[in-house]
Amino acid sequence: MKLICIDCSEQVPDAAFQYHCSCGGMLEIVHDFHGIDVELLRGIFEKRLAERMTPYASGVWRYKELIFPELPERFITTRYEGNTGLYSTEALSAYGGVRRIWFKAQSENPSGSFKDNGMTVAVSHACFIGMNQLACSSTGNTSASLAMYAALAKSKAYVFVPDRQISANKVLQTLAYGAEMLRFSGNYDDGIRFLERFGAELGLYVCNSINPYRIEGQKSIIFEAAQMLKWQIPEWIVVPGGALSNATALGKGLNDLFTLGFIDKLPKVAVVQAEGASPFHRMIANQETKLRPELNPHTIASAMNIGNPPSWKKAKRMLAQTCGVTVSVSDAEILAAKVLIDRSGIGCEPASAAALAGLRKLTISHVIDKDETALCILTGHILKDTEVLSKHFDQDPRPSIQLNLHHVQFTGCFQNPN
Ligand SMILES: *Cc1c(COP(=O)(O)O)cnc(C)c1O
Ligand SMILES: [Zn+2]
């Protein structure tokens, strides 16, 4: 595999200290898939579903040949991430307005978000090249994931966390795994810019989505969904977009599957942003050629509260390749979708619910047809971002009832069994 600049196509020797080409372009990993026997590989992926305590029991490393074939096994740092459920209910499909929706619950990952799919690969790569000071700037889930894998790898995690608009329980989770936390005044975008500029000088291995190894790992989300659906994927893939790493990775993974012949048609990708943090959607909707950053991004969905998404060029190319679309949704629409996902028993954090809210909006406006099918990526766990939940339920205080252990005093709340 090679590291190639997405702007000038120059090959760059090693990603250890470098996340950009000398021309300033972002780097991406390009594999040489020549000579791959797809039927053989399909069989190997199938067999590995029975593995338990080996790296291949992971829902990411199961697809090692398509992600990081050169990595010697002993450097793999895994918590058997991936292996997440795929769900479909009639009520949620009806709400989205299509024939059937599948929800891929990346919320079931060990640290509670899809960030684990990519982080296991980034941290394994860091081990491989002998770096043990890992860093990221994060709205919460990236830092929790990094902190978890760094602890496993016995490396140090330095987490740059904005001092506002982040979720308390994500911060607490990160501290609990033992990361060093550096609070700074500013937002996610300021933190990432700092790390891009000074990470190498400080000897830090940067684990944000500018790290191309994370993107390779996140491809596994679509690999796993495709395998679970017997390589028949829905017509639409709907994903929330913040830094746009997930959208980029899905597109890259789909492209791999299509070029190799695992799937016979390319689905379309819909990227959903929150209205208060939607620079990518604005650029696409207004047919602009360059992304204009949102200087004061704001949304209740903290994981998408990003005004200057680093991967916008990659995501734009992905959108063109898949004939995809973008849409933005309000915080109220996000919360309405979240209530339904939570009550269906699947549950997710607000940012994840944006996928369903966006899908609904796209069917109402006839961009997506009611006879089509969709796969929504649920990015984070119901126990993340619980500030939103406490606000919701604090407004609804229920009085406590008195229990009498001698006889039943009330019956009104329950359905009579007779
Ligand atoms: C990171 C994150 C997102 C946004 O993903 P990007 O790759 O940054 O676009 C959405 N939802 C959750 C829960 C996240 O953690
Ligand atoms: Zn370049």
Side-chain angles (χ1 to χ4, degrees), residues 113-115 139 141-142 170 209 214 218 240-247 303-304 306 349 351-352 379-381:
S113 84
F114 82 86
K115 300 299 194 297
T139 57
N141 284 337
T142 302
K170 294 179 186 176
S209 55
R214 258 191 58 195
Q218 284 171 206
L244 301 170
S245 76
N246 207 7
M304 304 163 79
I306 293 172
E349 73 167 272
S352 320
T379 46
H381 198 274

Side-chain angles (χ1 to χ4, degrees), residues 4-12 20-27:
I4 303 286
C5 168
I6 63 163
D7 286 345
C8 73
S9 305
E10 195 70 31
Q11 183 177 346
V12 169
H20 289 97
C21 170
S22 51
C23 83
M26 273 183 109
L27 303 180

Side-chain angles (χ1 to χ4, degrees), residues 276-299:
S278 55
F280 185 66
H281 169 63
R282 258 197 290 115
M283 175 185 74
I284 300 293
N286 300 334
Q287 300 181 329
E288 292 164 353
T289 48
K290 247 183 105 136
L291 184 120
R292 276 185 297 120
E294 183 93 56
L295 294 181
N296 280 305
H298 58 89
T299 166

Side-chain angles (χ1 to χ4, degrees), residues 62-142:
R62 180 177 308 134
Y63 311 101
K64 185 172 184 289
E65 288 77 2
L66 303 182
I67 290 174
F68 197 166
E70 287 89 344
L71 182 74
E73 236 177 66
R74 67 182 186 280
F75 294 105
I76 293 179
T77 306
T78 179
R79 273 215 48 204
Y80 312 111
E81 52 288 310
N83 292 311
T84 60
L86 195 59
Y87 307 99
S88 181
T89 79
E90 275 172 26
L92 293 176
S93 302
Y95 186 77
V98 291
R99 186 152 55 84
R100 185 162 201 182
I101 309 178
W102 291 101
F103 291 90
K104 185 83 173 91
Q106 294 314 106
S107 44
E108 294 170 5
N109 264 306
S111 87
S113 84
F114 82 86
K115 300 299 194 297
D116 293 347
N117 289 76
M119 201 58 79
T120 177
V121 179
V123 172
S124 299
H125 173 247
C127 292
F128 179 46
I129 61 174
M131 293 194 71
N132 57 13
Q133 299 197 95
L134 316 177
C136 72
S137 163
S138 169
T139 57
N141 284 337
T142 302

